[in-house]
Amino acid sequence: MSTPALKEWPLWEVFVRSKQGLEHKHCGSLHASDSEHALQMARDVYTRRQEGVSIWVVPSASISASEPNDKPEFFDPASDKVYRHPTFYVIPDEVGHM
Amino acid sequence: MNAPIDYLLHLADNALILGQRNAEWCGHGPILEEDIALSNNSLDLIGQARMLYQHAAELQGNGATEDTLAYFRDVPDFKNYTLCELPHMPLMAATSAGDRDFATTIVRNFLYSSLMVLVWDQLQNSKDAQLAAIAAKSLKEVRYHLRHSRDWLVRMGDGTAESHTKAQTALDQFMSYTQEFWTTSPAEAAALATGTGIDMAALQNDWNQIVNEALKEATLQRPAAGGFVPTGKQGLHSEHLGFVLAEMQSLARAHPEATW
């Protein structure tokens, strides 16, 4: 009974991996009082409780995003150096999707 | 072998009436996400009611359908626990109105789903194969309902002084109504005798354990149950069910032959 009431619930980002999905995808955000609460809400709001899905919730404050202004030095240098991309190999058919 | 119709109706009416009550929260939840959770809970319950009504209607014949069972029976025909029909607010006399109280809703959902996780689990072994299948489906849903309501019970009981008081008030109000779980109605006795139903009294210890552990974690006091034993499952209801049905059935009764 000693916990002070939260005036505002923090924001959480929700990542869901669907039943056949390979990786978690960001699908939205919600306000919740803690991680367990955020998980339950994400389950209702974003997955409709489908079986076999995995949910990650992350406090929005924990995410560091790259700055749009950083784009030139972050991303552009790679595009003109074709040797950085392993595109010169022929992938054998039996390997399939890679 | 099929379960007695009155037994199926008892299970169906519990789900329908509590589903109707939870649906009253639509657009009124404390926050958007909780609004969705309560609607979700309500949709699960109405889904359970539909499956049970369809099964009962088939056994009953004479043109009965899930809709005639939901919309064209009156208070004495409904076999739900009295607990399910009470309003979402501390009890008041007659028609006096109050605000929806989230703690009341959560405590009721907690007490009911603590029971139904045990009931559906056992009913998976019912000799009525259709009822056993409904139980298997409903068990998954009710586990989620229990998790949701238990979680909130602990948050409110172990929250602020005000939330603690509200949760305790709701618990004080509802605990007596749970006594109905353990008395045997004629329909339950008949279902037990054919192996299609279960012995409710045998679930009492497990239910007590689920409830007591949660209350302890929530720092709430379990009130002593009083001498009053409600009889909703025998068709003798509180004054509240009539109002629930009047609202729920009005359209169907105004246009009895309509299809929608």
Side-chain angles (χ1 to χ4, degrees), chain B residues 51-86:
Chain B
M51 292 186 288
L52 291 158
Y53 284 139
Q54 285 162 7
H55 187 24
E58 219 173 84
L59 298 180
Q60 196 167 310
N62 287 328
T65 66
E66 54 179 317
D67 282 347
T68 64
L69 292 174
Y71 294 126
F72 293 94
R73 285 183 304 141
D74 282 318
V75 170
D77 307 318
F78 271 75
K79 308 279 190 271
N80 58 283
Y81 293 128
T82 304
L83 178 72
C84 298
E85 76 208 29
L86 301 175

Side-chain angles (χ1 to χ4, degrees), chain B residues 20-228:
Chain B
Q20 176 77 6
R21 278 299 190 197
N22 276 320
E24 291 170 1
W25 274 99
C26 189
H28 299 277
I31 49 161
L32 177 68
E33 289 85 352
E34 209 45 50
D35 209 278
I36 297 172
L38 283 174
S39 306
N40 220 338
N41 184 303
S42 172
L43 287 170
D44 285 345
L45 289 168
I46 289 171
Q48 292 170 14
R50 288 193 59 194
M51 292 186 288
L52 291 158
Y53 284 139
Q54 285 162 7
H55 187 24
E58 219 173 84
L59 298 180
Q60 196 167 310
N62 287 328
T65 66
E66 54 179 317
D67 282 347
T68 64
L69 292 174
Y71 294 126
F72 293 94
R73 285 183 304 141
D74 282 318
V75 170
D77 307 318
F78 271 75
K79 308 279 190 271
N80 58 283
Y81 293 128
T82 304
L83 178 72
C84 298
E85 76 208 29
L86 301 175
H88 303 283
M89 57 194 73
L91 287 185
M92 282 177 283
T95 53
S96 53
D99 292 330
R100 279 185 202 85
D101 176 48
F102 189 57
T104 306
T105 297
I106 288 298
V107 169
R108 187 224 316 264
N109 284 347
F110 168 72
L111 294 172
Y112 177 74
S113 44
S114 299
L115 179 75
M116 295 313 288
V117 287
L118 303 170
V119 169
W120 292 130
D121 184 42
Q122 295 276 310
L123 277 178
Q124 291 183 108
N125 305 319
S126 171
K127 283 187 181 167
D128 181 331
Q130 201 160 337
L131 179 56
I134 294 170
K137 183 170 192 300
S138 305
L139 180 61
K140 290 185 195 170
E141 295 168 346
V142 78
R143 280 189 181 136
Y144 179 73
H145 301 165
L146 177 58
R147 183 171 159 165
H148 175 260
S149 55
R150 187 191 194 280
D151 197 60
W152 271 110
L153 184 83
V154 172
R155 279 171 201 280
M156 289 192 288
D158 194 22
T160 65
E162 186 186 0
S163 71
H164 178 89
T165 306
K166 286 189 171 187
Q168 186 66 55
T169 303
L171 192 64
D172 292 348
Q173 164 180 315
F174 282 147
M175 195 53 89
S176 285
Y177 287 92
T178 65
Q179 293 190 99
E180 187 179 357
F181 297 166
W182 322 118
T183 57
T184 309
S185 70
E188 285 172 315
L192 180 59
T194 56
T196 54
I198 55 173
D199 182 7
M200 293 298 291
L203 303 180
Q204 195 168 4
N205 281 340
D206 287 344
W207 184 82
N208 279 332
Q209 199 179 337
I210 295 173
V211 170
N212 291 345
E213 273 175 17
L215 293 186
K216 192 174 167 213
E217 207 177 312
T219 71
L220 294 166
Q221 294 297 316
R222 181 170 173 157
F228 163 65

Side-chain angles (χ1 to χ4, degrees), chain A residues 11 19 23-24 33 42-44 58 68 73 80 86 88 91 93:
Chain A
L11 190 66
K19 216 187 266 181
E23 72 287 296
H24 287 77
S33 56
R43 208 173 163 214
D44 278 335
V58 184
E73 55 265 45
D80 59 352
F88 305 111
I91 299 171
D93 285 344

Side-chain angles (χ1 to χ4, degrees), chain A residues 1-70:
Chain A
M1 281 228 286
S2 55
T3 325
L6 290 173
K7 287 268 187 292
E8 202 174 315
W9 287 354
L11 190 66
W12 299 76
E13 300 301 324
V14 181
F15 300 81
V16 172
R17 181 166 60 74
S18 58
K19 216 187 266 181
Q20 313 292 341
L22 292 170
E23 72 287 296
H24 287 77
K25 286 190 177 132
H26 182 243
C27 59
S29 51
L30 47 78
H31 289 274
S33 56
D34 59 34
S35 60
E36 177 62 23
H37 195 198
L39 268 180
Q40 279 195 32
M41 289 174 160
R43 208 173 163 214
D44 278 335
V45 177
Y46 292 112
T47 73
R48 299 295 307 159
R49 284 184 286 134
Q50 284 176 55
E51 284 161 82
V53 300
S54 161
I55 306 173
W56 290 346
V57 289
V58 184
S60 302
S62 304
I63 294 181
S64 305
S66 58
E67 293 279 340
N69 290 343
D70 292 340

Side-chain angles (χ1 to χ4, degrees), chain A residues 27 70 72 79 84 95:
Chain A
C27 59
D70 292 340
S79 56
R84 288 194 173 189
V95 173

